[in-house]
Amino acid sequence: MMNPDLKMFDLSGRTALVTGASGGIGLALAGGLARAGARVVLNARRKDKLEQAAESLRAQGADVRTVSFDVTQSAAVAEGIASVEADVGPIDILVNNAGMQRRAPLEQFEEAHWHELMKTNVDSVFLVGQAVARHMIPRGHGKIINICSVQSELGRPGIAPYTASKGAVKMLTKGMAIDWGPYGIQVNGLGPGYFKTELTQALVDNAEFTAWLVGRTPSRRWGDVEDLIGAAVFLASNASDFVNGHILYVDGGVTATL
C-alpha cells in the first residue's frame, strides 16, 4: 500500500504530452512521468526518431503514444492537440520541451537564425500552451511545465539570442500562471543547468569547458538527465497544486554562485 504522503506524486490515470521528446531531456522526462504512472504522448517532427523513442519506453513497460507535428505552426499545433484529445484522452500534463540552440557572436548572428530560434523556443511554448489550455480551462485543472534554462537568468558568450529566448519563456511561464491560475491550472518552469545529452556532447568532450563548468558548479559535475525527473514529477503532480509561476532550477547550484 502506498504511503498516503507519496500518493500526491502518483500520476496514474493521467495523460502527459511532451514536445521535442524523440531524445535527450524530453525523452528522459517522458520516461520519468511514465514511471510515475502517466500515459505519455511523445511529440516531435521526425516520425522515425519518434517511433524509436516510443519503442525504447515501451520496452520499459510504459504506456506510450506518439503524435508528429511542427510545434511552430499554429494550424499543425491545433490539429495535433485535437487529435490527442480525441484519440488518446484529455491532456492533463503538458511539457513544453521543444527547443534549439544557435551559437555565434551577436554581431555576426544571422537574422534568419534569430527568427528560427525564437519560433522554436518561444512561439512553440505560446502555441502549444494556448492550444492545450483551451481544453484544460473548461475541465478546471491541468499542469503545464515549460522547459526554461539557467540561461533564463545567466548569459554566456555567443548565445545572446538563446538567452533572450529562454528569458522570454521564463516570463511567459509567469504570464500563463497569472492568466490560467484562476481556472485551476498550474504553470511552472523547469530550468536545467548543463546536462549531458547528444546536443551537448561536444561540450562534454571539450576538456577545457568541462573543467571550467565543473569548477563553476557547486555539485562539481555535469547533470545527468535522470536528475530532472524528480522535479518534473513534482511539477506534474498534486504535490505542486499551490506552486504556480515558479521556475525550478535543477542546475547543481550554478545559479546560486558567481
Side-chain angles (χ1 to χ4, degrees):
M1 181 177 178
M2 180 178 288
N3 184 318
D5 291 331
L6 297 181
K7 185 71 175 174
M8 68 179 71
F9 295 96
D10 184 14
L11 302 181
S12 298
R14 303 188 189 185
T15 297
L17 170 64
V18 183
T19 69
S22 59
I25 288 174
L27 180 57
L29 294 180
L33 296 178
R35 291 193 293 277
R39 174 192 299 114
V40 295
V41 183
L42 310 183
N43 159 265
R45 285 183 294 184
R46 285 186 52 183
K47 293 182 179 180
D48 55 339
K49 287 195 69 177
L50 200 55
E51 199 50 46
Q52 289 176 10
E55 285 303 321
S56 73
L57 293 186
R58 290 185 186 118
Q60 301 170 27
D63 183 356
V64 186
R65 315 294 171 84
T66 63
V67 58
S68 179
F69 61 85
D70 187 339
V71 293
T72 70
Q73 301 297 320
S74 57
V77 168
E79 182 179 344
I81 298 305
S83 72
V84 174
E85 288 272 336
D87 300 336
V88 182
I91 298 170
D92 302 293
I93 302 157
L94 167 65
V95 181
N96 273 315
N97 171 73
M100 67 174 297
Q101 174 66 288
R102 290 280 191 182
R103 299 176 185 275
L106 187 57
E107 72 276 11
Q108 299 172 17
F109 206 89
E110 296 182 21
E111 182 181 350
H113 288 167
W114 167 275
H115 292 300
E116 176 192 34
L117 191 146
M118 290 298 167
K119 284 180 64 176
T120 304
N121 291 1
V122 184
D123 290 10
S124 66
V125 176
F126 164 70
L127 292 172
V128 181
Q130 183 187 65
V132 170
R134 285 172 172 167
H135 290 276
M136 289 178 169
I137 286 170
R139 295 194 286 261
H141 64 85
K143 301 281 187 174
I144 297 176
I145 304 169
N146 296 328
I147 302 304
C148 298
S149 168
V150 291
Q151 266 79 47
S152 295
E153 300 290 342
L154 305 171
R156 281 279 298 155
I159 58 168
Y162 180 82
T163 302
S165 74
K166 288 301 183 177
V169 173
K170 177 184 78 169
M171 295 311 299
L172 181 56
T173 298
K174 293 176 183 290
M176 288 176 166
I178 293 164
D179 280 7
W180 300 338
Y183 300 106
I185 300 169
Q186 289 82 54
V187 187
N188 293 289
L190 182 59
Y194 283 84
F195 279 76
K196 295 178 182 177
T197 70
E198 56 266 35
L199 296 179
T200 60
Q201 192 60 50
L203 290 176
V204 174
D205 294 339
N206 183 318
E208 183 180 1
F209 183 86
T210 289
W212 170 83
L213 177 67
V214 170
R216 169 76 171 75
T217 305
S219 293
R220 293 295 186 263
R221 65 176 176 88
W222 280 82
D224 295 312
V225 289
E226 297 294 312
D227 291 322
L228 292 165
I229 289 172
V233 171
F234 166 66
L235 293 177
S237 71
N238 290 348
S240 61
D241 279 353
F242 202 54
V243 179
N244 215 358
H246 178 69
I247 314 300
L248 175 52
Y249 291 101
V250 183
D251 63 359
V254 165
T255 52
T257 178
L258 288 172

